[in-house]
């Protein structure tokens, strides 16, 4: 073999912001701030302020490899820290404020964070952290002096004072592309959260996949609304892909209710929006409640949905009411996160709307860089027939090989990571997640997909949200129990719900019972908290029959 002669330039996160500043300097970053008003700046401004942040961090004694934490919504100051912190070789630790305070304390200790940047909304949480024992040495409030509230945080400094004093002519250092760039903890429903440590190389390679036409097709033509939080898996890589492509970004701050999002989409002429199903359900409720006509008022063409399964009903509503195409995607914190994306193939050109919706229910095909397979309990690969469901294993350059500060790796000898998901793959390569392995309902030796049942139930107009869990059964070991939250002002009974499901799922999948509740428990990343639901319904027994 002979060595290639191409230049060996490291893939660094700083190259993304350098590119955006040179070639897309005027593309806008629009933020709804915690202080209230809409703020406008450009990629050029983000670059300058990121350099100022790097200078300020250096002056504070932050060294390459140190962990710098954020507790912040999606906004321009958070974006400049993405580049300032990682660009200087330190590690940006985006903390999920929706975790329990004890978990936040745990991960700040585990990460060994030295400095915490935080938004105004989190002052009480940070006051609590100050009283706890953590390695934090400095606290920076992401605002200016005028908006600083009285608070009990020693040595507190305002972000604008911190960076405003710096010249902003910092030169990004060059170093090994395998250096850690950011850290994000999984919100495991059991045990302590685990740290996923991304590298510069993995973040840049992942951005290319996000920008690719058969990935999320992010380009300079898009105005992208990032509803997915920047504290959850780097907002699906969009802060990096945005700079790589020069897209115009819209960052919604703390206002994630249906009305605020709708107004932002309309006023900022958003073309692409990304978020988990729950936020889109809230948006749709707002549109229905206020009698709006999004297709006439908005420029939305695509909505990327991931994090949980996108029910057919949501894709249908976006198509009919908004004239927008839902791009269903699957991934996880351990995968940076993008694994599969549901784009259509040339053979689907003549599909009917109904046929298209059936494809959109699937999580899509692997993007280049993600090698995946489904296997049975013995590790034997299963057929791609759209029916055989098995454990989903993945490997690739933006998939984790281990967790932060854990000795043992988390991959098998062939380098595959077990996602904990169960999936089918059809003959066109479309993956469909049927369950988390621990949520599968094992009935009489067969598996029932809780996700498929939930998505079918959501199709009923009176249903706001639905969860399906396994309950013990004498004869069948486990049977599905459907738990439903009705839309405000709607009523529904067990018989009507079951009659609706009949014909939409196999008869033997039909839930043994339907229970109505006011709300369902969620995890810190907005997923249904099935473990808690199973605990709540531990003693539940379905009616005889
Ligand atoms: P997180 O690491 O918090 O992003 O969670 C990752 C998990 O969310 C995956 O392992 C899946 O179980 C679930 N997930 C993500 N996207 C989807 C999707 N489109 N459909 C179904 N489940 C999903």
């Amino acid at each position: 073999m002979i060595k290639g002669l191409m230049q060996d330039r490291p893939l660094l996160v700083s190259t993304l912001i350098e590119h955006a500043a040179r070639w897309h300097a005027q593309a806008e970053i629009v933020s709804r701030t915690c202080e209230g008003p809409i703020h406008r700046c450009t990629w050029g401004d983000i670059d300058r302020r990121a350099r100022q942040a790097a200078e300020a961090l250096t002056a504070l004694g932050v060294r390459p490899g140190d962990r710098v934490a954020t507790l912040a919504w999606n906004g321009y100051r958070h974006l400049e820290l993405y580049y300032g912190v990682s660009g200087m070789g330190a590690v940006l630790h985006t903390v999920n404020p929706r975790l329990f305070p004890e978990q936040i304390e745990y991960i700040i200790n585990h990460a060994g964070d030295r400095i915490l940047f935080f938004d105004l909304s989190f002052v009480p949480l940070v006051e609590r952290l100050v009283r706890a024992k953590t390695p934090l040495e400095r606290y920076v409030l992401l605002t200016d002096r005028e908006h600083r509230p009285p608070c009990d945080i020693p040595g507190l400094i305002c972000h604008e004072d911190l960076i405003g004093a710096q010249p902003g002519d910092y030169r990004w250092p060059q170093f090994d592309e395998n250096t850690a760039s950011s850290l994000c903890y999984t919100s495991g429903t059991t045990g302590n959260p685990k740290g996923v440590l991304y590298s510069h190389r993995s973040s840049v390679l992942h951005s290319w996949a996000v920008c690719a036409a058969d990935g999320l097709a992010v380009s300079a033509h898009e105005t992208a609304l990032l509803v997915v939080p920047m504290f959850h898996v780097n907002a699906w890589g969009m802060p990096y892909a945005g700079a790589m492509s020069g897209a115009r970004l819209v960052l919604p701050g703390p206002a994630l209710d249906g009305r605020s999002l709708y107004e932002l989409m309309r006023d900022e002429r958003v073309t692409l929006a990304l978020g988990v199903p729950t936020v889109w359900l809230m948006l749709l409720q707002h549109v229905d409640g206020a009698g709006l006509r999004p297709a006439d008022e908005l420029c939305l063409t695509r909505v990327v949905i991931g994090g949980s399964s996108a029910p057919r009903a949501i894709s249908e509503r976006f198509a009919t009411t908004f004239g927008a195409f839902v791009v269903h995607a699957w991934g996880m914190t351990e995968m940076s996160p993008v694994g599969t994306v549901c784009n259509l193939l040339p053979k689907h050109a003549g599909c009917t709307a109904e046929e298209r919706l059936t494809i959109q229910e699937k999580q899509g095909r692997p993007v280049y860089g993600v090698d995946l397979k489904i296997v049975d309990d013995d590790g034997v690969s299963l057929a791609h027939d759209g029916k055989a469901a098995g454990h989903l294993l993945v490997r690739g350059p933006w998939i984790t090989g281990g967790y932060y500060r854990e000795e043992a790796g988390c991959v098998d000898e062939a380098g595959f990571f077990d996602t904990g998901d169960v999936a089918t793959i059809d003959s066109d390569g479309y993956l469909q997640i049927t369950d988390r392995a621990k949520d599968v309902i094992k009935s009489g030796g067969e598996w029932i997909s809780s996700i498929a049942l939930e998505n079918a139930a959501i199709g009923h107009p009176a249903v706001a949200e639905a969860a399906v869990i396994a309950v013990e059964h004498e004869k069948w070991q486990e049977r599905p129990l459907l738990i439903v939250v009705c839309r405000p002002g709607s009523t529904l009974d067990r018989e009507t719900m079951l009659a609706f499901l009949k014909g939409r799922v196999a008869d033997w999948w039909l839930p043994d019972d339907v229970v109505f509740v006011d709300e369902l428990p969620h995890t810190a990343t907005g997923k249904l908290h099935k473990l808690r639901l199973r605990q709540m319904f531990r003693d539940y027994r379905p009616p005889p029959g």
Side-chain angles (χ1 to χ4, degrees):
M1 282 203 239
I2 59 167
K3 203 160 184 243
L5 288 175
M6 307 316 283
Q7 297 181 12
D8 187 11
R9 304 284 300 161
L11 301 175
L12 299 179
V13 160
S14 55
T15 61
L16 298 170
I17 190 67
E18 269 180 331
H19 175 80
R22 286 184 75 189
W23 308 110
H24 301 279
Q26 298 311 319
E28 241 188 341
I29 310 296
V30 181
S31 313
R32 194 192 287 280
T33 58
C34 288
E35 294 90 339
I38 298 283
H39 175 276
R40 290 173 196 283
C41 63
T42 63
W43 278 115
D45 297 325
I46 297 290
D47 172 63
R48 184 178 38 79
R49 288 172 55 93
R51 288 170 200 266
Q52 287 177 303
E55 287 161 347
L57 287 166
T58 309
L60 285 179
V62 172
R63 296 174 305 261
D66 283 350
R67 274 76 64 209
V68 174
T70 58
L71 265 173
W73 302 109
N74 293 8
Y76 68 102
R77 292 187 180 113
H78 204 177
L79 187 60
E80 64 209 30
L81 289 172
Y82 262 63
Y83 289 103
V85 174
S86 304
M88 68 174 290
V91 179
L92 182 80
H93 174 201
T94 51
V95 181
N96 182 344
R98 296 193 180 120
L99 292 170
F100 292 119
E102 300 74 32
Q103 284 179 314
I104 294 181
E105 249 173 74
Y106 170 85
I107 64 173
I108 286 178
N109 275 304
H110 190 268
D113 296 326
R114 291 188 57 197
I115 302 196
L116 172 65
F117 288 80
F118 63 103
D119 268 338
L120 281 164
S121 339
F122 305 119
V123 168
L125 178 57
V126 175
E127 283 178 331
R128 182 184 159 132
L129 281 173
V130 168
R131 293 193 294 274
K133 214 173 138 25
T134 74
L136 289 172
E137 297 159 28
R138 288 305 296 259
Y139 299 89
V140 185
L141 184 55
L142 288 165
T143 189
D144 52 23
R145 209 175 291 179
E146 284 118 73
H147 292 93
R148 176 185 168 148
C151 56
D152 192 11
I153 302 170
L156 181 69
I157 177 165
C158 287
H159 185 69
E160 295 304 326
D161 289 337
L162 180 72
I163 71 164
Q166 303 295 333
D169 51 13
Y170 184 85
R171 289 173 75 90
W172 300 116
Q174 298 291 300
F175 44 78
D176 181 356
E177 63 184 16
N178 288 303
T179 303
S181 57
S182 65
L183 175 64
C184 185
Y185 280 74
T186 59
S187 56
T189 45
T190 48
N192 280 322
K194 290 166 183 253
V196 179
L197 190 60
Y198 309 101
S199 69
H200 285 258
R201 174 184 154 84
S202 72
S203 304
V204 173
L205 290 175
H206 179 262
S207 303
W208 262 309
V210 169
C211 292
D214 285 322
L216 302 185
V218 175
S219 77
H221 296 274
E222 303 285 1
T223 291
L225 173 68
L226 276 57
V227 185
V228 51
M230 287 165 73
F231 54 72
H232 184 209
V233 217
N234 301 321
W236 298 350
M238 282 300 290
Y240 303 128
M244 181 179 263
S245 63
R248 179 170 177 262
L249 299 187
V250 180
L251 307 174
L256 300 174
D257 59 289
R259 181 191 177 140
S260 304
L261 291 181
Y262 187 86
E263 289 174 359
L264 211 47
M265 282 180 172
R266 183 193 60 206
D267 299 346
E268 299 303 330
R269 307 192 72 69
V270 166
T271 57
L272 169 69
L274 307 96
V276 298
T278 337
V279 295
W280 303 130
L281 285 172
M282 290 191 310
L283 178 78
L284 291 169
Q285 272 176 26
H286 169 68
V287 165
D288 292 343
L292 299 168
R293 300 172 58 87
D296 300 335
E297 289 190 322
L298 308 186
C299 321
L300 193 67
T301 56
R302 291 186 301 140
V303 183
V304 179
I305 304 188
S308 301
S309 164
R312 185 185 185 98
I314 293 194
S315 300
E316 188 172 16
R317 285 300 310 278
F318 272 116
T320 52
T321 317
F322 288 69
F325 182 76
V326 163
V327 181
H328 194 182
W330 164 85
M332 57 196 310
T333 308
E334 286 87 338
M335 299 176 67
S336 298
V338 177
T340 63
V341 182
C342 192
N343 288 305
L344 300 178
L345 289 170
K347 68 189 278 190
H348 299 129
C351 276
T352 63
E354 287 301 313
E355 287 165 342
R356 228 178 4 245
L357 287 171
T358 303
I359 300 164
Q360 284 172 282
E361 286 183 68
K362 305 199 174 198
Q363 280 76 2
R365 291 156 41 82
V367 291
Y368 167 77
V370 175
D371 181 10
L372 57 75
K373 61 178 179 180
I374 45 171
V375 299
D376 66 14
D377 287 341
D378 300 322
V380 178
S381 284
L382 295 173
H384 291 188
D385 58 7
K387 294 194 183 79
H391 306 284
L392 177 55
L393 310 189
V394 291
R395 64 179 177 188
W398 56 80
I399 296 167
T400 196
Y403 291 101
Y404 185 49
R405 292 183 52 202
E406 281 191 14
E407 284 282 309
C410 57
V411 296
D412 65 17
E413 51 292 352
F416 279 98
F417 169 79
D418 186 342
T419 62
D421 286 336
V422 175
T424 61
I425 300 177
D426 69 19
S427 54
D428 288 325
Y430 284 83
L431 175 100
Q432 185 156 25
I433 303 287
T434 56
D435 254 310
R436 290 293 291 165
K438 54 186 186 309
D439 297 337
V440 148
I441 300 155
K442 293 177 180 145
S443 178
E446 300 280 350
W447 287 4
I448 297 176
S449 160
S450 66
I451 295 181
L453 276 174
E454 286 157 9
N455 287 347
I458 279 280
H460 191 287
V463 175
E465 210 181 359
V468 173
I469 56 166
V471 287
E472 274 178 44
H473 191 282
E474 266 180 27
K475 181 168 171 203
W476 303 110
Q477 293 98 40
E478 289 180 351
R479 290 295 301 158
L481 169 69
L482 171 60
I483 307 160
V484 169
V485 179
C486 285
R487 277 171 185 266
S490 303
T491 49
L492 195 61
D493 57 47
R494 174 183 186 276
E495 276 60 43
T496 317
M497 186 74 248
L498 291 176
F500 178 81
L501 290 177
K502 206 166 161 48
R504 287 182 164 81
V505 297
D507 273 358
W508 64 277
W509 281 29
L510 283 175
D512 282 29
D513 203 1
V514 186
V515 177
F516 295 90
V517 294
D518 291 337
E519 59 176 342
L520 291 168
H522 292 99
T523 67
T525 51
K527 297 183 211 306
L528 286 169
H529 205 319
K530 295 250 175 120
L531 181 68
R532 197 170 300 159
L533 273 174
R534 281 197 291 269
Q535 286 162 350
M536 282 162 62
F537 288 92
R538 197 174 28 216
D539 300 326
Y540 179 88
R541 293 290 168 273

